[in-house]
Amino acid sequence: MSVKIITADNFEVEVLNAEKTVLIDFWATWCGPCQMLSPTVDAFADKHPEISVCKVNVDEQPGLAQAFGIESIPTLIVMRDGKVVNHSLGVIPMEKIEELVK
């Protein structure tokens, strides 16, 4: 599995300067819907090595959550060339994640 844990320290390298499309999962340990979505995001990462799949724990990285205006979780953000191109709120199935990154 190739899910990367994103922090303020590696955000620029792993997200802003990524050569691939990036999918970021903003989540928290106490969030039930986040726990429901997490295995789907992990499976997506396994199925789609051409996408850089990342996770940001909003409790551990409040600055990143604030920078993206995250007000509810789980939130998925799709980025290309350092810019947000799509997003989704709440638990969604694999097929919807695949549509999100197209």
Side-chain angles (χ1 to χ4, degrees), residues 68-102:
F68 282 89
I70 304 300
E71 294 180 1
S72 61
I73 50 174
T75 294
L76 297 177
I77 301 273
V78 180
M79 296 185 68
R80 284 191 192 94
D81 301 319
K83 295 181 176 44
V84 175
V85 295
N86 213 341
H87 72 282
S88 171
L89 299 174
V91 178
I92 60 174
M94 173 82 72
E95 298 77 34
K96 293 292 185 188
I97 297 174
E98 290 171 340
E99 288 175 21
L100 200 65
V101 299
K102 282 186 179 174

Side-chain angles (χ1 to χ4, degrees), residues 2-102:
S2 58
V3 174
K4 298 174 183 148
I5 304 304
I6 298 301
T7 65
D9 294 334
N10 68 356
F11 177 77
E12 186 172 342
V13 170
E14 296 292 347
V15 177
L16 292 182
N17 297 334
E19 295 184 11
K20 303 190 221 181
T21 297
V22 179
L23 174 70
I24 309 170
D25 176 13
F26 287 88
W27 69 286
T29 55
W30 49 264
C31 167
C34 298
Q35 302 305 325
M36 291 170 52
L37 181 61
S38 188
T40 305
V41 171
D42 294 346
F44 177 86
D46 289 340
K47 186 175 176 184
H48 294 280
E50 75 281 7
I51 307 289
S52 180
V53 179
C54 306
K55 293 188 179 191
V56 174
N57 182 321
V58 298
D59 290 332
E60 294 174 1
Q61 303 297 321
L64 288 177
Q66 185 177 13
F68 282 89
I70 304 300
E71 294 180 1
S72 61
I73 50 174
T75 294
L76 297 177
I77 301 273
V78 180
M79 296 185 68
R80 284 191 192 94
D81 301 319
K83 295 181 176 44
V84 175
V85 295
N86 213 341
H87 72 282
S88 171
L89 299 174
V91 178
I92 60 174
M94 173 82 72
E95 298 77 34
K96 293 292 185 188
I97 297 174
E98 290 171 340
E99 288 175 21
L100 200 65
V101 299
K102 282 186 179 174

